[in-house]
Amino acid sequence: MSGTNSERELIAEGPAVILVEPQLGENIGMVARAMANFGLAELRLVKPRDGWPSEKARSAASKADHVIDGTKVFETLEEAIADLNFVYATTARERYGFKPVRSPVTAAETLRTKFKVGEKTGILFGRERWGLTNEEVALADEIVTFPVNPAFASLNIAQAVLLMSYEWMKSGMEDLTETVFLPIEQRPSTKEQVIGLFEHLEEALDARNYFHPPAKKPRMIDNLRAVISRRGFTEQEISVFRGVINSLDRFPRGWSKKDGPKPEKADLPKGASGEKTGNDADE
Amino acid sequence: MSGTNSERELIAEGPAVILVEPQLGENIGMVARAMANFGLAELRLVKPRDGWPSEKARSAASKADHVIDGTKVFETLEEAIADLNFVYATTARERYGFKPVRSPVTAAETLRTKFKVGEKTGILFGRERWGLTNEEVALADEIVTFPVNPAFASLNIAQAVLLMSYEWMKSGMEDLTETVFLPIEQRPSTKEQVIGLFEHLEEALDARNYFHPPAKKPRMIDNLRAVISRRGFTEQEISVFRGVINSLDRFPRGWSKKDGPKPEKADLPKGASGEKTGNDADE
């Protein structure tokens, strides 16, 4: 699941991620990696315990060098957010106060809205062990918290950053059902193609006296057609399926091309060759 | 951001997570932690390189012991999914084939729908270095892929499991804007309360000849009221604000309780004490 590709668009925009007094370089690196995966690039550190730059961070960032190289270090949280217009504080603990509390989905939508009108935004993440102080939360505009298992709430900072980065990316998608790649485009089958499949299969079965006794044939055909219809085969899938019927119907076990001539296409029902798509074996 | 609480409901249900030939115990542990955060509990391993049980996994799971203790190990993927009805394969790489490709949101909704009618489901995650083989993907019903930065697609298995677990949790929420805790409940202010604030502030300012020259007073009041109205203060916030005005208006710098009697409440405009909520200092 890894790989960078310099020919593809590198997304690097959106809210700043601000880590308050992070301890381990590995965690800072995993944060950078999480951000890069979802198009965030601006990382700010307030008093990182082990200093900066950090080789451990760079290593854990898994080639998110553009994030690591651009990371800025500040002495205080006030300085780290000085140029921002709107800031979220992430917290897992209930905070008693008037500050609005948002879900990640709502927070990402708000950040996207502000981004679109040119506001500079940021998201605060607390220390590994105990998060943000009340005074730090008070510097934020709103709180964001994650919908975790009530009896097991144990997200580390890299996981929390990953989820917010992911929601940020999703907030920019027009359609949450879209995917970065698609299956082979397939055309819905027409009824003519479906009926062609019915008749091809039924002819091959009839030649073997499958429909027995004859009085039951109409009911057996009804049931068989129902099984096939329910599958909603596409045009290409019908082609695959007819190739399969053809193979079973026309060739004996153990047959190979060198054993003799393939039956003439003229002998086969229309559409039975299964050779049109060329995709049969890709799965 | 850490802490388990045995008095709260432990959610442990939903799709099985199946890791195919995972290498590092730490990654398996981080997967268990990710699952536990979002209520998943059933972890299956196909041929883990370093064997099972794994102390490194238990340590990295950060007390997700119920997941680690319940983990099952299988020799083949076919055995690992034998009892399941519906399986997703996660992949970052485009796979040429007919298999439907879904976003995490769509996949989680499908898994939730099947869960509600009693189907057993699972999600396959591949090896750290190179994911799933085509043959393994072919055993799944559908593919799920993440909306990552095109030029930086580098999710590790624990991150991928975290995102799917998170979407699973969200698919069970009635409202994606809900949060596990809420700010102090506040009542919207009435116009009487807002006008009380206006008049309190204007009286204190007028006593200092703030509205000068007198001809400009109506316009200055209009502007001041517009600034305050736009804030949409709640009833409790108005109480805080009137306490602030009262302090600035009635007490000299350097005043403390021992310096003398506090002005009688009877001297103050109605609602000016700011003592009603008791929440003023919580932020």
PDB file of all heavy atoms in Angstrom, chain A residues 54-66:
ATOM      1  N   SER A  54      14.705  16.136  13.168  1.00  0.00           N
ATOM      2  CA  SER A  54      14.767  14.824  13.801  1.00  0.00           C
ATOM      3  C   SER A  54      14.864  13.753  12.713  1.00  0.00           C
ATOM      4  O   SER A  54      13.978  13.646  11.870  1.00  0.00           O
ATOM      5  CB  SER A  54      13.499  14.612  14.632  1.00  0.00           C
ATOM      6  OG  SER A  54      13.261  13.233  14.841  1.00  0.00           O
ATOM      7  N   GLU A  55      15.957  12.986  12.766  1.00  0.00           N
ATOM      8  CA  GLU A  55      16.102  11.916  11.771  1.00  0.00           C
ATOM      9  C   GLU A  55      15.055  10.828  11.965  1.00  0.00           C
ATOM     10  O   GLU A  55      14.596  10.206  11.011  1.00  0.00           O
ATOM     11  CB  GLU A  55      17.512  11.325  11.803  1.00  0.00           C
ATOM     12  CG  GLU A  55      18.533  12.132  10.995  1.00  0.00           C
ATOM     13  CD  GLU A  55      17.998  12.528   9.611  1.00  0.00           C
ATOM     14  OE1 GLU A  55      17.582  11.627   8.845  1.00  0.00           O
ATOM     15  OE2 GLU A  55      17.959  13.747   9.306  1.00  0.00           O
ATOM     16  N   LYS A  56      14.678  10.598  13.237  1.00  0.00           N
ATOM     17  CA  LYS A  56      13.639   9.592  13.500  1.00  0.00           C
ATOM     18  C   LYS A  56      12.318  10.015  12.867  1.00  0.00           C
ATOM     19  O   LYS A  56      11.569   9.188  12.355  1.00  0.00           O
ATOM     20  CB  LYS A  56      13.456   9.404  15.011  1.00  0.00           C
ATOM     21  CG  LYS A  56      14.553   8.556  15.626  1.00  0.00           C
ATOM     22  CD  LYS A  56      14.306   8.349  17.110  1.00  0.00           C
ATOM     23  CE  LYS A  56      15.424   7.498  17.729  1.00  0.00           C
ATOM     24  NZ  LYS A  56      15.337   7.487  19.200  1.00  0.00           N
ATOM     25  N   ALA A  57      12.041  11.314  12.925  1.00  0.00           N
ATOM     26  CA  ALA A  57      10.806  11.817  12.308  1.00  0.00           C
ATOM     27  C   ALA A  57      10.858  11.612  10.798  1.00  0.00           C
ATOM     28  O   ALA A  57       9.907  11.124  10.188  1.00  0.00           O
ATOM     29  CB  ALA A  57      10.606  13.294  12.644  1.00  0.00           C
ATOM     30  N   ARG A  58      11.995  11.968  10.196  1.00  0.00           N
ATOM     31  CA  ARG A  58      12.103  11.836   8.742  1.00  0.00           C
ATOM     32  C   ARG A  58      11.942  10.385   8.314  1.00  0.00           C
ATOM     33  O   ARG A  58      11.270  10.073   7.327  1.00  0.00           O
ATOM     34  CB  ARG A  58      13.444  12.387   8.246  1.00  0.00           C
ATOM     35  CG  ARG A  58      13.563  12.409   6.724  1.00  0.00           C
ATOM     36  CD  ARG A  58      14.862  13.060   6.263  1.00  0.00           C
ATOM     37  NE  ARG A  58      14.921  14.466   6.608  1.00  0.00           N
ATOM     38  CZ  ARG A  58      14.390  15.446   5.874  1.00  0.00           C
ATOM     39  NH1 ARG A  58      13.760  15.161   4.753  1.00  0.00           N
ATOM     40  NH2 ARG A  58      14.488  16.693   6.262  1.00  0.00           N
ATOM     41  N   SER A  59      12.532   9.491   9.072  1.00  0.00           N
ATOM     42  CA  SER A  59      12.449   8.072   8.730  1.00  0.00           C
ATOM     43  C   SER A  59      11.000   7.572   8.835  1.00  0.00           C
ATOM     44  O   SER A  59      10.493   6.895   7.935  1.00  0.00           O
ATOM     45  CB  SER A  59      13.379   7.290   9.654  1.00  0.00           C
ATOM     46  OG  SER A  59      13.099   5.922   9.578  1.00  0.00           O
ATOM     47  N   ALA A  60      10.330   7.938   9.924  1.00  0.00           N
ATOM     48  CA  ALA A  60       8.946   7.478  10.125  1.00  0.00           C
ATOM     49  C   ALA A  60       7.980   8.134   9.145  1.00  0.00           C
ATOM     50  O   ALA A  60       6.873   7.638   8.931  1.00  0.00           O
ATOM     51  CB  ALA A  60       8.495   7.752  11.558  1.00  0.00           C
ATOM     52  N   ALA A  61       8.393   9.253   8.538  1.00  0.00           N
ATOM     53  CA  ALA A  61       7.488   9.963   7.623  1.00  0.00           C
ATOM     54  C   ALA A  61       7.330   9.238   6.298  1.00  0.00           C
ATOM     55  O   ALA A  61       6.464   9.590   5.494  1.00  0.00           O
ATOM     56  CB  ALA A  61       7.974  11.387   7.392  1.00  0.00           C
ATOM     57  N   SER A  62       8.187   8.226   6.067  1.00  0.00           N
ATOM     58  CA  SER A  62       8.037   7.378   4.876  1.00  0.00           C
ATOM     59  C   SER A  62       7.978   8.215   3.594  1.00  0.00           C
ATOM     60  O   SER A  62       7.062   8.076   2.792  1.00  0.00           O
ATOM     61  CB  SER A  62       6.776   6.522   5.046  1.00  0.00           C
ATOM     62  OG  SER A  62       6.725   5.510   4.089  1.00  0.00           O
ATOM     63  N   LYS A  63       8.982   9.084   3.444  1.00  0.00           N
ATOM     64  CA  LYS A  63       9.136   9.916   2.238  1.00  0.00           C
ATOM     65  C   LYS A  63       8.175  11.106   2.134  1.00  0.00           C
ATOM     66  O   LYS A  63       8.061  11.708   1.074  1.00  0.00           O
ATOM     67  CB  LYS A  63       9.050   9.079   0.960  1.00  0.00           C
ATOM     68  CG  LYS A  63      10.169   8.037   0.906  1.00  0.00           C
ATOM     69  CD  LYS A  63      10.254   7.391  -0.451  1.00  0.00           C
ATOM     70  CE  LYS A  63      11.394   6.369  -0.460  1.00  0.00           C
ATOM     71  NZ  LYS A  63      11.080   5.159  -1.223  1.00  0.00           N
ATOM     72  N   ALA A  64       7.513  11.445   3.216  1.00  0.00           N
ATOM     73  CA  ALA A  64       6.721  12.687   3.204  1.00  0.00           C
ATOM     74  C   ALA A  64       7.687  13.849   3.455  1.00  0.00           C
ATOM     75  O   ALA A  64       7.483  14.679   4.350  1.00  0.00           O
ATOM     76  CB  ALA A  64       5.620  12.643   4.257  1.00  0.00           C
ATOM     77  N   ASP A  65       8.725  13.930   2.630  1.00  0.00           N
ATOM     78  CA  ASP A  65       9.799  14.905   2.859  1.00  0.00           C
ATOM     79  C   ASP A  65       9.307  16.339   2.731  1.00  0.00           C
ATOM     80  O   ASP A  65       9.818  17.232   3.398  1.00  0.00           O
ATOM     81  CB  ASP A  65      10.949  14.665   1.873  1.00  0.00           C
ATOM     82  CG  ASP A  65      11.687  13.365   2.165  1.00  0.00           C
ATOM     83  OD1 ASP A  65      11.730  12.968   3.348  1.00  0.00           O
ATOM     84  OD2 ASP A  65      12.213  12.758   1.212  1.00  0.00           O
ATOM     85  N   HIS A  66       8.318  16.567   1.861  1.00  0.00           N
ATOM     86  CA  HIS A  66       7.832  17.939   1.695  1.00  0.00           C
ATOM     87  C   HIS A  66       7.188  18.447   2.980  1.00  0.00           C
ATOM     88  O   HIS A  66       7.222  19.647   3.250  1.00  0.00           O
ATOM     89  CB  HIS A  66       6.866  18.040   0.505  1.00  0.00           C
ATOM     90  CG  HIS A  66       5.614  17.219   0.646  1.00  0.00           C
ATOM     91  ND1 HIS A  66       5.611  15.844   0.607  1.00  0.00           N
ATOM     92  CD2 HIS A  66       4.325  17.584   0.840  1.00  0.00           C
ATOM     93  CE1 HIS A  66       4.372  15.400   0.756  1.00  0.00           C
ATOM     94  NE2 HIS A  66       3.569  16.431   0.901  1.00  0.00           N
TER      95      HIS A  66
END
